[in-house]
Amino acid sequence: PTALLKAIDLSQKYEERLSDFITNRTPLQTSAIWLFSSDRAREEQQTRDDMRREIMREMEASGPARDRKPAARKTPPQADGRDNGPAKLARGDTAGDICTTAGVRRLTLPPLGSLSKSPCAAFLRDGYLCRFGDRCNHDHTRINDLPPEDQKAWVRHVGTSPDLKFNPARVASRIVNMPLAEAARA
């Protein structure tokens, strides 16, 4: 019985609002029927579309966008058109300990036991520079300066990864030429 009374009350209120709308042109937007109607959804979509059109008109009226420098290319594309990955920076020492083949987007790192922080891939990758410098959260220790067990971990990692090789200009020849079998005896 109470639900029926509530329904009758709501329908009476709706009828009153509808008659007010017809006679006085008062908006129906506050009614529950309006809130869930498809007319409301269409009106909101129309409002959004109008706002977009207005923004586009303002942009066109303001003239061409200010001269912007084109975005810097990362690295020259490969022969097959693929991108080479992160940007090479012109400043600072970019000679890293690890060289990668073109197309390798991310330098993988071996697990090292002696470092309190993980090694910085940007610091170790040849041709790249850590953009954080002294504020970097990763370790900036050269492979030559690591303890022998971590050097062997690098030899195992580079020896089993076909896309990686040591940079002979930076890494000691005893590490570059270390046989994988010797590195496996860690």
Side-chain angles (χ1 to χ4, degrees):
T2 58
L4 183 60
L5 291 174
K6 286 183 180 178
I8 292 171
D9 186 44
L10 283 175
S11 72
Q12 286 173 345
K13 286 182 181 178
Y14 177 70
E15 285 179 22
E16 289 171 9
R17 284 200 178 156
L18 187 58
S19 66
D20 284 346
F21 176 73
I22 293 170
T23 58
N24 303 328
R25 295 292 189 200
T26 57
L28 284 175
Q29 278 93 351
T30 55
S31 71
I33 292 173
W34 170 258
L35 291 175
F36 297 106
S37 73
S38 59
D39 291 337
R40 175 177 176 254
R42 273 193 300 274
E43 187 175 294
E44 287 180 349
Q45 181 64 41
Q46 183 65 37
T47 303
R48 285 192 297 270
D49 291 343
D50 291 343
M51 289 173 66
R52 282 189 201 108
R53 280 195 283 285
E54 184 63 30
I55 290 170
M56 291 302 290
R57 269 190 240 114
E58 288 175 6
M59 288 174 63
E60 289 171 0
S62 66
R66 69 173 196 267
D67 292 335
R68 294 182 185 149
K69 294 180 183 175
R73 280 263 330 132
K74 293 182 178 184
T75 53
Q78 299 177 31
D80 61 3
R82 291 183 304 161
D83 199 358
N84 281 338
K88 291 186 178 185
L89 301 175
R91 65 185 198 288
D93 183 11
T94 59
D97 293 351
I98 304 294
C99 298
T100 59
T101 58
V104 174
R105 304 254 328 145
R106 188 173 186 156
L107 177 65
T108 56
L109 304 169
L112 303 176
S114 69
L115 300 177
S116 59
K117 301 185 281 185
S118 63
C120 180
F123 176 77
L124 290 171
R125 189 171 179 175
D126 187 52
Y128 293 85
L129 181 68
C130 176
R131 63 185 171 138
F132 299 106
D134 296 337
R135 296 174 295 140
C136 185
N137 293 331
H138 300 282
D139 193 272
H140 284 207
T141 304
R142 294 278 182 198
I143 293 175
N144 288 339
D145 301 332
L146 291 172
E149 63 272 3
D150 286 343
Q151 291 175 349
K152 289 180 180 180
W154 269 110
V155 170
R156 287 191 302 272
H157 182 67
V158 170
T160 56
S161 301
D163 294 330
L164 303 179
K165 65 178 185 163
F166 288 111
N167 181 358
R170 292 295 254 177
V171 181
S173 62
R174 65 177 175 75
I175 298 171
V176 173
N177 299 324
M178 185 184 296
L180 202 51
E182 183 183 332
R185 289 185 260 133

